[in-house]
Every structure is written in C-alpha cells, then in structure tokens.
Amino acid sequence: MQRAAKCALRLDISRAFCPSNVRNCRAVNRVNGSVSCRRYSVLPPPRDEEEKAMLDSMLRVDHAGEYGANRIYAGQMAVLGRTQTGPLIQHMWDQEKMHLERFNEILGEHRVRPTLLLPLWNIAGFALGACTALLGKEGAMACTVAVEESISEHYNSQIRTLMEADPERYTELLQLIKEFRDDEIEHHDTGLEHDAESVSLICWFASYEMYVLVFCCCCV
Amino acid sequence: MLCMYRNASPLWLDMAALIRGLRAGRALRGLGGVAVQGTLSPQCSNVRRGFHRAALLRLASDSKSDTSVPPPSYREVHTAGESSSSSAQGESSEDAQPNTSFQDQSGEHGEDYETEEQLQARILTAALEFVSQHGWTVEAIAAGAETLGLSSASTGMFNNGAGDLVLHFVAQCNAQLAETLAEQNNQVQLGQAESKKTGEFLKDAVETRLRMLVPYIDTWPQAMSILLLPHNIPDSLKHLSTMVDDIWYYAGDRSTDVNWYTRRAALTGIYNTTELVMVQDSSPDFEETWAFLDNRIKDVVNMANTAKQVQATGEAVVQGLMGAAITLKNLTGMNQRR
C-alpha cells in the first residue's frame, strides 16, 4: 500500500516553479517556432488556425486518455500488485507509461495545452482502477477490457478523420496513432484472455467514464 | 487592390476618381507603374468632381456593411508570418467579392494586391503616432489614415473603433516580444549567450514587454479601460494568454500537467499587477516598477520552493508512518501471509 499512498500524495502543485524542473527540457531543436530546426516532428506545420485547433484537440484528448489509463493501472496495481496478476498488470502499465511519455513529448514540442481536467482524471482513474481491482482479478480485467475497447475505438475514429483529411500530410501522426491503437487492442485481448467476461456492469461503467473523458477533454 | 473597387461598372467612374487620392499611398508602398492615370477619359473630369463626395460616402458605407473586420493579427505560431496568414484571411473574405472591372482595365494584379487586413494594419500603425495627441480614439485613427493619404472616413472600416487600435498595438507588441525571445533563444542555442535562470528570464521578458508601453504610458490607463470593455475582453484575454504562453515556452517550460496552468496563471498575475504599478509610477525610468516586479517574481519562486519542501516533508512523514504501521503489524503478528 506504500505505492498507493505515494500516488495519492503526488499532486503536482508543489512543483509549480521549481527552476530545476524547467531546465529538464529537451534538446536544441524544440525551442522556437521555426520548423526547420526540428529533428523529428510528428505533426506537420499547421496551415492555419483551424488545423492547429483540430490537431491540438486530438492530441489533448489522446494525452488525457493515456494519463487516465496510466492512473487506472496504478489503481489496479495498488490493490492487486502483490497477487498473481500483478506482473501482468505491471507489464500493461509499463506500455501505457511509454505512451504517456511519448504524448508528453509531443505536447511540449508542439505547444499544445494539456487538459484542465487532469487532476480529475488523476483521482477518478485511480479510483476506478482500485475499485474494480477490489472486485478481484475478473473485475480488473473487465475494467481493462472496457477501457481499452473505448480507447481503441477513439483512436480508430481519429485515424479515420486524419485519413479523410489528408493521409500524406499526417503520415507520422497516423503511424503513431496506429501503433498505440495496436497496443491498446493487445491489452484488450489480454484482458479477455484472463476471464473478463464475467463482470459486465463494470464494463459498462468503465467505458462510460472513458467516453465522458473523451468528450470533456476535447474542449477543456 | 482594396475591396472598395469591387463595385460594378455604374460606379467605376466614381471609383476611378479616388485613384488620385490613393496614388500617394501606393507611392509610399513603393508600387510603381500602376497604369491608372491614362485610363481616365478626359470628358469625365467634371463628372468626376461632382461624384467625388458621393463616392467617399459610398465607400465608407460599403466598407462598413460588407467587411467582416476581424481583429487584426491573431497569434500564428508555426505559419510563415503575419502577412501570409492575413492574406489568406483576406483572400477568403475576398472570394465573395469579384475583382473590379478597374483592375481588369489596368491589367495590374498579383504583387500589388493589398488585402484589407494589411491596409487596416497600416492605418492603425500610422495612427499610433497620434495617440499622444488624441488619445486612443477614432480621431487618432482618422489622423493616421490621413497621413497615408486616405480619407478620414476610412475609420468606418473599423467597427470597433478605438478597440481596434488598442488591440492592434497589443498584438504588435506581443509579436515583437516573441521575436525578441526567439532571437535570444537562438543566441543561447548557438552558444553565443548564456542561458538565464527562470526567475531572471521571466523578469527580463516582462520588463521588455512593459517597456514597449513607455511611449504611451500617459494614455495607457485609457487603453486599459478600453481593453476591459465587455466586447473587447475575449480578444484582450487571448492576447494576454498567448503572450504569457510565449514567455513560458521560451523560458523552457514543457510541462504537460496542472503546472502548465499554475505557471501561466501566476505570470499573468505578475504581469497585470506590474502593469498597474507602472501606470502610476513616477520614478525615473520606472525603477520602482522593476523593483516591484523583481520582488513579485522572488515571492513566487519562494512559494514554489516552499511548496516543494512541504511535499517532500509530507512524503517523508507518510513513509515514516507506514514504516511504523508495518513494524506494529510485525510485532503483533498480524503480518503473516495466510
């Protein structure tokens, strides 16, 4: 339970102005608006305000989704960490951490505002993960299945939007989203393998929460 | 061409009459060879004079009714520059208005085409010189238009009047600040300058931005009150937030959590309070303002450090309590695996 306590205390308000934290920024190429300096860039330089707004909104929602998934796994680990399913959940959590890390980089690089609801998802995600895990391994897996299903549906609709708009322009972004979607589908299948079907109410509740997250974070 | 030339043939005589008036403006822009003069037929000269007045009034009312007058120059982060974006906007608003027969007559096109946004920007920039005389008012805009050789009735283009002037100035200052910060950043990346600590960077950036107000400091309270008018608040907030975002970005902030918001909120507070202090500061070269700014930034940095310490202490205390609990459980034998 140590980890649970630590997670609960990890409110970021204290790091508000820590100068050393700010100096952790990445390398040379990320700093000014000029495109030519970027070594790698997932997004194309935006043509106009509309495109920038659309891409910003997409990235904001994705980032919030990964953050929420991260917290859900943290909640599940807090309860089931020392049981047999611990290593499995840990493995899935590590992949989610990688996704979140990647989105953090993209947000920082492209000056995308993160969603204001992050503290809410911090608590709600952890609570969802912990509560479903309290129902046992099946509950945790059911939650995973529901959450991953709605995340992958969401990624699919983003892929569709980008493909309809201009596939060549968004090649790198499409690749990234496809890769993450495949990972999420893998988690979904893992959850199904491990007896998730037995608890359907959980599925409904968890997926509902994810839909709410997606709608809110687009705007806020 | 200006969109006022969009009128159909019955008015081409009237519009043609205005060309003389605009020649001065074109000369200023370094446009040459606009073959306008030769197209006017001699017999129209009398008619021209008579219609001149009517045309001016028509121009003002047409422009007022037809143009959408978007507030000038929103922040463009990644686009090539203000002019390209404003010309894109101009082109989209021009699509509904076909080019006049006048342009077809002269055959001039392309590089000489000035969008309405660009014209408005030019007028407002010229109007800034008259702010000390007329204040942030429509009279200043009229005076600015007259220096460009345009009629003072072209203030009709600006639906928001003085608000347009103030917002234009704010946008101009923010763009200048962003350029300065980008340039400094380049210097640091190239190793030609030392990177500053966050507090110092913020202080320098805010000071640079506030110093741009110095020429207009006597009339700045009027400008501030204009920015606080309800219909101007969305735009002024947008300008403020983009400026604060720029400053933090170049200070190196890449946070993607709630820090993003707390940092920007704090800097907004610092900027606004320092601006208020500056407006009533009478010390030489605003020394008191810079001292105030310095103290506010120090306060905020101290607060952040204190919060960090509190969190670290809290975590240590929790660790200690957990350890004590586990020890107790061990002692009482409750911790055995079942």
Side-chain angles (χ1 to χ4, degrees):
Chain A
M1 290 305 282
Q2 268 183 341
R3 229 175 288 160
K6 230 195 222 175
C7 292
L9 268 187
R10 203 187 303 144
L11 297 173
D12 284 324
I13 303 169
S14 62
R15 286 192 286 141
F17 290 95
C18 171
S20 59
N21 200 26
V22 165
R23 286 287 153 225
N24 264 341
C25 64
R26 279 286 189 95
V28 187
N29 52 1
R30 194 181 294 188
V31 277
N32 51 14
S34 105
V35 173
S36 54
C37 296
R38 296 217 182 95
R39 236 191 334 229
Y40 68 95
S41 171
V42 171
L43 298 185
R47 276 185 288 239
D48 50 24
E49 286 277 332
E50 256 182 52
E51 191 193 4
K52 175 137 185 41
M54 177 196 81
L55 291 173
D56 276 5
S57 170
M58 276 174 54
L59 288 171
R60 189 174 310 131
V61 174
D62 289 345
H63 174 254
E66 293 297 341
Y67 184 82
N70 207 24
R71 298 303 297 151
I72 290 174
Y73 282 123
Q76 290 185 347
M77 275 304 286
V79 176
L80 292 175
R82 282 185 230 157
T83 66
Q84 264 185 338
T85 36
L88 177 66
I89 300 177
Q90 181 68 47
H91 167 72
M92 293 198 287
W93 189 16
D94 290 338
Q95 283 186 316
E96 296 295 346
K97 280 185 193 163
M98 262 174 25
H99 291 183
L100 182 64
E101 184 56 43
R102 189 78 182 90
F103 275 121
N104 280 341
E105 284 174 16
I106 295 176
L107 254 65
E109 185 181 329
H110 294 275
R111 301 180 63 168
V112 178
R113 171 177 70 86
T115 175
L116 189 54
L117 299 174
L118 280 179
L120 178 61
W121 300 130
N122 188 358
I123 300 173
F126 191 86
L128 178 65
C131 293
T132 52
L134 283 171
L135 294 171
K137 174 187 148 200
E138 289 80 17
M141 289 298 132
C143 173
T144 304
V145 162
V147 164
E148 300 296 359
E149 188 175 322
S150 83
I151 287 188
S152 33
E153 256 181 57
H154 169 69
Y155 277 146
N156 276 335
S157 74
Q158 282 191 347
I159 291 173
R160 268 193 291 274
T161 311
L162 291 175
M163 294 286 275
E164 276 166 13
D166 192 348
E168 284 96 34
R169 193 171 156 74
Y170 302 116
T171 325
E172 291 95 3
L173 183 60
L174 275 170
Q175 203 179 336
L176 182 82
I177 297 182
K178 280 180 189 166
E179 191 189 316
F180 287 1
R181 181 211 46 194
D182 295 340
D183 285 341
E184 307 295 352
I185 291 182
E186 190 196 316
H187 292 174
H188 173 265
D189 295 340
T190 310
L192 281 177
E193 273 170 43
H194 287 85
D195 312 321
E197 300 285 13
S198 43
V199 195
S200 56
L201 188 64
I202 313 284
C203 298
W204 175 84
F205 181 72
S207 58
Y208 179 69
E209 183 172 329
M210 291 306 290
Y211 282 133
V212 166
L213 181 154
V214 165
F215 281 129
C216 294
C217 291
C218 281
C219 323
V220 177
Chain B
M1 278 304 192
L2 301 166
C3 74
M4 53 186 163
Y5 295 124
R6 53 147 185 74
N7 283 321
S9 39
L11 279 172
W12 74 264
L13 287 171
D14 317 322
M15 292 304 142
L18 290 170
I19 295 154
R20 293 260 162 93
L22 285 167
R23 247 185 248 161
R26 289 217 205 107
L28 280 172
R29 285 182 58 219
L31 293 171
V34 179
V36 166
Q37 298 86 317
T39 60
L40 293 175
S41 52
Q43 66 266 29
C44 298
S45 53
N46 293 329
V47 179
R48 229 188 301 141
R49 262 180 242 122
F51 278 115
H52 190 77
R53 198 45 100 176
L56 280 174
L57 294 170
R58 181 71 181 248
L59 162 69
S61 63
D62 283 341
S63 305
K64 223 186 289 197
S65 58
D66 291 335
T67 59
S68 53
V69 192
S73 47
Y74 283 111
R75 171 179 78 108
E76 299 284 345
V77 179
H78 296 301
T79 53
E82 243 182 78
S83 56
S84 64
S85 63
S86 58
S87 63
Q89 284 175 12
E91 273 157 17
S92 61
S93 68
E94 296 285 358
D95 277 344
Q97 304 150 2
N99 276 331
T100 68
S101 54
F102 191 79
Q103 273 198 332
D104 294 334
Q105 272 193 338
S106 70
E108 293 292 326
H109 221 302
E111 317 82 50
D112 300 341
Y113 190 97
E114 182 190 38
T115 66
E116 189 177 329
E117 280 78 19
Q118 285 171 335
L119 175 67
Q120 285 181 354
R122 274 204 304 138
I123 295 178
L124 291 174
T125 310
L128 287 176
E129 291 161 42
F130 297 93
V131 163
S132 52
Q133 208 180 331
H134 298 287
W136 298 90
T137 55
V138 181
E139 284 83 26
I141 302 180
E146 274 163 10
T147 56
L148 293 180
L150 299 169
S151 141
S152 59
S154 22
T155 56
M157 269 201 281
F158 302 101
N159 281 340
N160 204 4
D164 277 335
L165 182 58
V166 180
L167 289 169
H168 170 82
F169 174 68
V170 168
Q172 204 180 36
C173 288
N174 290 349
Q176 216 177 318
L177 176 71
E179 257 183 59
T180 312
L181 292 177
E183 182 53 45
Q184 280 178 7
N185 199 39
N186 272 338
Q187 298 272 324
V188 170
Q189 300 302 341
L190 294 173
Q192 289 166 6
E194 290 295 314
S195 70
K196 303 181 201 168
K197 290 176 69 73
T198 311
E200 202 190 315
F201 184 92
L202 295 178
K203 177 176 174 307
D204 288 342
V206 173
E207 188 180 330
T208 309
R209 176 62 178 82
L210 286 174
R211 278 197 187 272
M212 296 180 198
L213 301 179
V214 167
Y216 306 95
I217 197 71
D218 296 324
T219 48
W220 194 246
Q222 184 194 10
M224 283 170 73
S225 61
I226 292 174
L227 285 176
L228 285 173
L229 290 172
H231 56 268
N232 286 331
I233 284 185
D235 289 327
S236 65
L237 278 181
K238 187 166 179 174
H239 283 308
L240 180 62
S241 61
T242 53
M243 178 195 72
V244 167
D245 186 37
D246 279 340
I247 295 180
W248 267 118
Y249 178 77
Y250 288 111
D253 174 46
R254 299 288 181 273
S255 54
T256 51
D257 50 12
V258 79
N259 279 333
W260 193 96
Y261 290 92
T262 53
R263 285 177 182 172
R264 280 153 183 77
L267 187 59
T268 307
I270 293 174
Y271 178 82
N272 283 335
T273 49
T274 314
E275 194 183 7
L276 285 172
V277 166
M278 187 175 177
V279 155
Q280 49 82 49
D281 186 9
S282 54
S283 60
D285 194 37
F286 302 97
E287 286 162 357
E288 282 174 17
T289 308
W290 312 134
F292 176 87
L293 174 63
D294 203 22
N295 288 335
R296 294 295 74 71
I297 292 196
K298 278 204 185 95
D299 284 345
V300 148
V301 169
N302 279 342
M303 196 172 65
N305 287 338
T306 310
K308 194 164 65 115
Q309 281 172 0
V310 162
Q311 193 206 10
T313 311
E315 276 181 4
V317 163
V318 164
Q319 293 275 12
L321 286 174
M322 298 300 290
I326 291 176
T327 312
L328 261 174
K329 274 165 76 173
N330 286 338
L331 286 175
T332 55
M334 275 166 49
N335 209 20
Q336 292 155 8
R337 287 264 172 109
R338 283 176 233 113

